[in-house]
């Protein structure tokens, strides 16, 4: 995310991903997350580093602890 490498990000997120709820006007799929990261987070807090501590899968639901 810090370097804006979209190809790496696409390799990490399932194309069926749905984010709920999302801000008005922002897509709920993978492209919405990419847009949020590149258009909102990176310009305002460019030195942010996200560390994923764990991910838990139960059926079709995944939660991520950061």
């Amino acid at each position: 995310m810090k370097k804006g490498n979209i190809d790496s990000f696409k390799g990490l997120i399932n194309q069926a991903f749905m984010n709920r709820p999302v801000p008005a006007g922002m897509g709920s799929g993978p492209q919405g997350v990419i847009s949020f990261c590149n258009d909102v987070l990176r310009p305002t807090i460019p030195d942010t580093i996200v560390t994923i501590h764990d991910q838990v899968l139960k059926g079709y639901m995944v939660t991520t602890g950061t």
Side-chain angles (χ1 to χ4, degrees), residues 16-23 26-29 33 60-62:
F17 172 81
M18 294 299 293
N19 188 25
R20 294 186 182 98
V22 296
M26 188 161 290
S28 59
V33 176
Y60 291 105
M61 302 292 289
V62 178

Side-chain angles (χ1 to χ4, degrees), residues 13-38:
I13 191 166
N14 187 299
Q15 292 305 302
F17 172 81
M18 294 299 293
N19 188 25
R20 294 186 182 98
V22 296
M26 188 161 290
S28 59
Q31 189 57 47
V33 176
I34 292 169
S35 296
F36 180 76
C37 289
N38 282 332

